[in-house]
Amino acid sequence: VPTIHPCVIRMTLINNALPSIAGLFSNAHLDSDTFRSELVELRLRGNKIRTLDADIIRRLTNLTLLDAGKNDLKDVPHVMGYLPRLRRAPLDGNPIRVIRTPLLTDTAALKVFLRKRGPPPSGPGYLAGEGDGTSTSGGSGAKAPLPTNSQASSLVKSALVGTFTLDLRGKRLDALPEEIKNELNSNSTNGDDGGTVGGRIKKLDVSKNSLKDLEDWLSIMPALVAVDASQNQIKSLPSCIGDVRLAELLIARNGISSIALASSPVCCVGSQPTPLANSLTYIDLSGNQMEWLPSGLAKLPLLSTLILTNNKMTTLSIGTQGGMESGWREGFKSLETLNLSSNKISDLADMPRFLVECCPLLRNLSLANNELSVIPPALGVLRSLASIDLRGNPQRGIRPGILDRNASEILSYLRGRLDEGELRGLEAKLAGASSSAKDASSSTEDNAAAAEGEKKMEELKKSIQEVTMQLNNVHLTEAKKYAMKKTLKMHKAALIKEERRNRGR
């Protein structure tokens, strides 16, 4: 690379054979910690650059365009994320597997990602770190002051309208504040259902905090259907989560290990599944510390979305780890979206066959940015796929251009690599799985309806009992008594209707 004058504002070095950008500035300039280049545009596309020197990149605080596409980069320095004026930094065409593919063409998102990997360079002129000041994680920083009683009351009251969502994201909490706990424990003013305020909350967002545990939160809000606890410091899930009928569990970017998940109620699905196991449809465990796949996930009957990106899994082969079943096994009957991108998976084992035999509803599959040396042609039989991403693997059997095509073209190519006998056999298994899925779907819907009916009857009986007891209060006004008697009649009528409906199932 030629050494340039610090006042040069545009430099184009495309389509050469440059191995690095070392030497772009003189040693005299690099020896000065305060030196900043005037470069606004730097075009490096189509070279053989393997690394971007961090000490050079940090001098480019005036840069708006850095085009390093189609080189041999395997990573980029985190200091690039702190360049304040950088607007475009395309990195397409590089063998980068430590950064998610979509970020390679989305500079704003890439910069956020890079800032989370390390602190800003020393000196003025850089963006602040993600979080508070120069912190690099969503849950770090000084502990927030505890909310006052009035603030806690306001937060909880706002959760009792609309979607019934308690939003406490980014509050720098390390535990459930006592003031909010008291508000959630207070008696509900809703005369129809009674109970506590916490029992009415349906969704909880505590993402971007410093929580280490969810037990207190789940115990005080038993009617939750969705929890977002992403970007905290959680390493395990409490046993009480098994009693909560969650449909969605988002717990990305924490510290959950495979053994912690495998031993939790999420995966311990026995002959009598927990309420959680019978209700979970969406799980996001991306960015945790998982080194193998807990097989218990396969037994969740309604699981439709499973996101396990940015973990440390290396194989999906069947085995045992710490006394727990591991690997991709038969199951996942309701799976529609599976994202295993940005792991270190080199062995899919029997996963392609199980996907064909057990997952006829699968619509989206991502195995991008792993260590696959071979792409199994059996994946081509999954005609139901609307999207499939296999890019960013070190395989050499399929040209990158083919993997950039749409799903139907990729699947057609993969089917073309199967011999006729294999293709017929796999398609027969897929047809059988589709037929079984229809029967299972009908049965599952009936069972779910029956369970929901039982739950509703119990709630109605409880409400009838509570209203009856309240009517014994001699201090009630006539107007209040009239309203409560009307409510009691409505509950009794609803109970009779539900009992008849349940008998007919």
Side-chain angles (χ1 to χ4, degrees):
V1 172
T3 300
I4 64 172
H5 191 277
C7 292
V8 172
I9 61 173
R10 290 181 179 86
M11 188 70 179
T12 299
L13 296 166
I14 62 173
N15 297 325
N16 285 286
L18 302 175
S20 74
I21 58 172
L24 188 64
F25 303 122
S26 68
N27 290 334
H29 286 126
L30 293 179
D31 287 341
S32 172
D33 195 52
T34 59
F35 167 70
R36 302 291 184 268
S37 168
E38 296 295 322
L39 265 180
V40 174
E41 295 182 4
L42 178 58
R43 301 177 186 271
L44 301 169
R45 179 172 290 267
N47 283 281
K48 297 181 179 180
I49 298 172
R50 295 184 177 182
T51 59
L52 293 176
D53 191 304
D55 193 37
I56 290 178
I57 294 298
R58 76 182 187 92
R59 314 288 181 158
L60 305 176
T61 51
N62 294 298
L63 202 66
T64 62
L65 169 65
L66 173 59
D67 185 354
K70 295 187 177 179
N71 277 282
D72 294 327
L73 296 172
K74 294 185 177 180
D75 200 356
V76 294
H78 78 271
V79 296
M80 200 167 97
Y82 291 97
L83 300 182
R85 298 183 182 180
L86 187 61
R87 297 291 177 267
R88 292 180 56 215
L91 293 167
D92 54 294
N94 284 285
I96 297 175
R97 294 200 292 274
V98 295
I99 301 175
R100 297 191 304 278
T101 301
L103 298 183
L104 302 183
T105 53
D106 184 346
T107 303
L110 174 66
K111 288 174 66 176
V112 172
F113 172 81
L114 292 174
R115 291 198 296 273
K116 292 172 181 174
R117 297 174 69 181
S122 60
Y126 300 106
L127 296 175
E130 284 297 294
D132 182 34
T134 61
S135 67
T136 61
S137 67
S140 59
K143 182 179 178 181
L146 293 175
T148 63
N149 289 334
S150 61
Q151 289 172 333
S153 177
S154 178
L155 283 168
V156 174
K157 283 180 179 177
S158 67
L160 298 178
V161 295
T163 59
F164 291 86
T165 300
L166 180 57
D167 188 350
L168 295 170
R169 57 187 164 180
K171 301 292 186 182
R172 291 181 288 167
L173 302 174
D174 59 9
L176 173 60
E178 196 66 29
E179 293 78 7
I180 291 178
K181 183 177 181 179
N182 292 337
E183 287 292 327
L184 294 172
N185 264 330
S186 63
N187 291 329
S188 173
T189 57
N190 187 325
D192 290 340
D193 57 15
T196 65
V197 170
R200 297 179 60 198
I201 306 297
K202 300 298 182 183
K203 298 180 180 180
L204 173 65
D205 188 347
V206 287
S207 59
K208 299 182 180 180
N209 283 290
S210 300
L211 302 178
K212 295 180 175 62
D213 189 31
L214 290 175
E215 184 168 3
D216 288 345
W217 302 86
L218 297 174
S219 299
I220 206 168
M221 288 175 275
L224 288 171
V225 296
V227 169
D228 186 350
S230 303
Q231 299 185 54
N232 279 280
Q233 298 170 17
I234 298 167
K235 294 185 178 181
S236 62
L237 298 173
S239 58
C240 67
I241 197 174
D243 298 322
V244 185
R245 296 179 182 274
L246 291 177
E248 299 181 5
L249 177 60
L250 289 77
I251 199 156
R253 293 176 60 186
N254 279 276
I256 297 176
S257 64
S258 295
I259 193 68
L261 181 66
S263 56
S264 76
V266 173
C267 291
C268 293
V269 184
S271 57
Q272 293 184 328
T274 63
L276 175 71
N278 277 330
S279 59
L280 266 177
T281 63
Y282 186 107
I283 300 177
D284 184 353
L285 281 157
S286 55
N288 277 279
Q289 300 295 317
M290 297 178 59
E291 297 182 340
W292 45 271
L293 180 73
S295 299
L297 292 170
K299 300 176 183 178
L300 297 173
L302 301 181
L303 185 63
S304 63
T305 299
L306 179 60
I307 303 175
L308 294 168
T309 64
N310 288 292
N311 277 281
K312 301 176 180 180
M313 292 184 287
T314 58
T315 180
L316 299 181
S317 61
I318 292 174
T320 57
Q321 299 282 347
M324 300 289 183
E325 291 185 343
S326 64
W328 193 278
R329 297 175 187 256
E330 182 177 359
F332 295 104
K333 303 290 186 180
S334 301
L335 198 61
E336 297 179 23
T337 296
L338 174 62
N339 193 336
L340 292 167
S341 62
S342 299
N343 278 274
K344 299 177 181 180
I345 301 171
S346 59
D347 180 16
L348 295 179
D350 289 328
M351 176 202 176
R353 177 172 65 85
F354 284 137
L355 290 181
V356 171
E357 295 177 356
C358 306
C359 304
L361 305 178
L362 194 63
R363 296 278 295 164
N364 307 290
L365 173 64
S366 179
L367 294 167
N369 301 324
N370 277 286
E371 298 293 336
L372 298 176
S373 58
V374 176
I375 303 296
L379 295 175
V381 180
L382 298 170
R383 296 177 187 266
S384 62
L385 287 179
S387 69
I388 180 170
D389 193 351
L390 302 168
R391 295 170 294 185
N393 284 286
Q395 62 84 30
R396 294 291 181 265
I398 303 175
R399 298 192 307 276
I402 293 175
L403 299 182
D404 286 332
R405 298 178 183 177
N406 62 44
S408 62
E409 291 178 335
I410 295 173
L411 296 175
S412 177
Y413 177 86
L414 291 173
R415 285 196 301 275
R417 307 188 81 180
L418 292 167
D419 63 47
E420 190 173 342
E422 284 180 304
L423 181 59
R424 280 202 306 267
L426 287 168
E427 290 189 329
K429 290 178 180 178
L430 182 62
S434 299
S435 176
S436 299
K438 291 178 181 177
D439 296 339
S441 176
S442 176
S443 175
T444 300
E445 288 174 1
D446 291 343
N447 292 338
E452 187 63 28
E454 291 287 346
K455 180 184 177 184
K456 191 171 183 179
M457 285 191 293
E458 288 299 320
E459 290 174 349
L460 287 168
K461 289 176 182 177
K462 182 180 177 182
S463 297
I464 290 170
Q465 185 180 12
E466 289 176 352
V467 175
T468 302
M469 292 177 63
Q470 291 172 14
L471 279 170
N472 293 328
N473 188 344
V474 295
H475 300 293
L476 288 175
T477 64
E478 289 301 318
K480 184 65 174 176
K481 280 185 179 180
Y482 177 79
M484 293 180 70
K485 285 178 179 179
K486 188 175 180 180
T487 298
L488 184 61
K489 287 180 181 179
M490 291 173 61
H491 285 339
K492 287 181 176 179
L495 178 60
I496 292 171
K497 184 177 179 180
E498 195 61 41
E499 285 175 339
R500 288 174 179 170
R501 184 182 298 162
N502 226 39
R503 283 197 297 267
R505 290 190 177 108

